[in-house]
Amino acid sequence: MTQASTESSPAHDVAAARDLLGRYPLIDGHNDLPWTMRVADDLDIDTTDLAGETAVTTTFEQVDLVHEMIGRYPGTLELALTAADVERINAAGRVASLIGAEGGHSIGCSLGTLRALYALGVRYLTLTHNRNLPWADSSTDMPSIGGLTNFGREVVREMQRLGMLVDLSHVSPGTMRDALDTAEAPVIFSHSSALAICDHPRNVPDNILARLPDNGGVCMVNFVPSFISQAARDWEREFAAEMERRGLDHKNVAARGHMRAEREEWMAGHPRPVVTLPEVVEHVERVRQVAGVDHVGIGSDYDGVDWLPEGLEDVSCYPALIAELTGCGWSEEDCAKLTRGNILRVLREAEAASRAISARRGPSRARIQDLDG
């Protein structure tokens, strides 16, 4: 693995990277801006996994919010539904806006709801979020199924019949394996990093990354410090343990105003470790090493966290990331694949697979009680 330099990239390298991004605009696999906007309106909103009717309603409201935001800024934003849309919108100087739904709880165990989300423009579904579902195990919950149930496999099949990308960020290794075994089209990890470098359950094991070439999928590397740095991961564990000792749900601390004082008081004596851009580059390099340059992308998780690596604080830092990679020997062609080429290929292949699958079978009417008992 080529190690990234620890020094800042020279200004001329950043300028060259900015020029490259002008020609190959980066498609970020995941950001949480619409949810951040929602939380800003209600500081006491519960940010643990929603369930049942509330989860479905909330997801539809979030999709509605994205449509409203796009409609408010038509000169800047435009909804993209296909790879061709992305290229057309970018060529016109606008930001191509794709919608993903983060967590299978959003469909309420209903394939009809899945199809309704697709009709409203949702082009990927993360199979789980932080908790297990009746049909799929999450990476951050105790395994209860071992992967996907029969209904879970049917969800994957129906998504790919529609042309909706199957997103395996947040799912357990068992769910990853079952989804890849079931898949008839490329899958994605919209915002995950490499488990071999940082021992976080949200990261992807090498044996799964090694399956991406046969599947055609892509792993989009995340910027969350606890996914990137083992020191940050260890700090997070210590923080979680302290919050649990105080009887608090640490996953909601950042969003609940009455818990902020508790968090800040603890952090005063336990400063966060420094995490840097070169550490993110190590994950990009690892995914390339194991899966290949055709199977890596970027999924920052901007607006989804309150802590980011130094040098990657916001989207203005993308050129610094590209400059770091070119300093490690990445060619312009390599960088173009990373920034947009790979995910656009996945979108096109998913669209082609959808046409082929739809010619063989129609919409699934299966219910979870029929398949899972």
Side-chain angles (χ1 to χ4, degrees):
M1 181 187 304
T2 303
Q3 293 297 313
S5 68
T6 57
E7 299 177 358
S8 299
S9 299
H12 66 85
D13 290 344
V14 174
R18 190 173 291 111
D19 177 69
L20 186 151
L21 286 167
R23 287 177 284 118
Y24 305 104
L26 189 143
I27 300 172
D28 195 322
H30 192 86
N31 79 72
D32 283 309
L33 178 59
W35 186 252
T36 299
M37 294 168 65
R38 185 188 187 103
V39 171
D41 290 335
D42 182 2
L43 291 178
D44 287 326
I45 192 169
D46 188 351
T47 60
T48 55
D49 279 356
L50 303 169
E53 180 179 322
T54 302
V56 175
T57 300
T58 300
T59 301
F60 275 84
E61 289 172 350
Q62 289 301 106
V63 173
D64 181 63
L65 174 60
V66 173
H67 281 278
E68 179 185 348
M69 185 168 56
I70 292 170
R72 190 178 301 173
Y73 302 102
T76 303
L77 307 175
E78 185 176 341
L79 180 67
L81 302 177
T82 65
D85 283 348
V86 173
E87 294 185 306
R88 172 184 56 78
I89 293 164
N90 287 165
R94 294 189 293 275
V95 176
S97 303
L98 297 112
I99 304 176
E102 191 174 15
H105 54 290
S106 299
I107 68 170
C109 297
S110 164
L111 297 179
T113 302
L114 174 70
R115 288 188 285 271
L117 286 173
Y118 181 84
L120 288 174
V122 174
R123 288 300 179 265
Y124 80 61
L125 175 72
T126 316
L127 294 187
T128 70
H129 197 228
N130 295 326
R131 303 282 189 266
N132 293 339
L133 297 177
W135 48 270
D137 280 344
S138 167
S139 65
T140 48
D141 204 347
M142 293 294 294
S144 63
I145 299 165
L148 290 173
T149 66
N150 290 332
F151 182 76
R153 294 182 180 90
E154 190 71 0
V155 171
V156 169
R157 285 190 285 265
E158 185 64 3
M159 288 175 67
Q160 295 192 323
R161 187 195 68 82
L162 289 167
M164 183 185 289
L165 299 181
V166 175
D167 178 19
L168 301 181
S169 287
H170 279 286
V171 308
S172 71
T175 301
M176 295 175 193
R177 288 191 296 270
D178 287 350
L180 284 164
D181 289 345
T182 304
E184 302 171 74
V187 303
I188 67 168
F189 292 84
S190 68
H191 58 306
S192 296
S193 296
L195 185 68
I197 295 176
C198 180
D199 181 23
H200 193 294
R202 278 279 285 100
N203 287 340
V204 188
D206 278 359
N207 62 354
I208 297 294
L209 290 174
R211 294 187 63 177
L212 289 182
D214 286 342
N215 169 263
V218 62
C219 178
M220 309 182 84
V221 171
N222 189 276
F223 297 171
V224 176
S226 60
F227 297 4
I228 296 299
S229 158
Q230 192 61 49
R233 170 60 175 153
D234 295 341
W235 181 93
E236 181 191 62
R237 285 176 170 148
E238 186 180 357
F239 172 70
E242 176 62 18
M243 292 300 103
E244 289 172 9
R245 189 187 67 78
R246 299 184 188 190
L248 302 174
D249 183 349
H250 73 280
K251 292 182 180 179
N252 282 333
V253 168
R256 291 181 179 270
H258 63 279
M259 292 186 185
R260 287 179 181 166
E262 296 260 5
R263 180 183 61 167
E264 291 171 4
E265 177 265 321
W266 186 84
M267 287 175 58
H270 304 79
R272 290 167 166 166
V274 174
V275 182
T276 64
L277 185 158
E279 291 178 90
V280 174
V281 168
E282 289 186 42
H283 285 263
V284 176
E285 293 268 42
R286 181 69 181 195
V287 175
R288 176 178 181 159
Q289 179 187 39
V290 178
V293 72
D294 294 322
H295 305 283
V296 60
I298 297 297
S300 66
D301 213 354
Y302 281 137
D303 294 302
V305 292
D306 63 352
W307 176 26
L308 288 157
E310 290 186 356
L312 286 173
E313 290 83 1
D314 56 45
V315 297
S316 70
C317 300
Y318 288 142
L321 174 62
I322 299 305
E324 197 78 24
L325 288 167
T326 58
C328 292
W330 284 56
S331 69
E332 178 169 308
E333 180 184 5
D334 295 338
C335 291
K337 289 180 177 182
L338 173 81
T339 60
R340 67 190 285 106
N342 291 339
I343 189 61
L344 284 177
R345 172 188 54 76
V346 166
L347 283 167
R348 283 191 288 266
E349 291 181 6
E351 292 161 17
S354 171
R355 292 189 292 270
I357 295 167
S358 295
R360 300 196 304 267
R361 64 176 187 261
S364 174
R365 305 299 176 191
R367 301 177 303 169
I368 191 168
Q369 57 265 43
D370 299 328
L371 296 182
D372 292 347

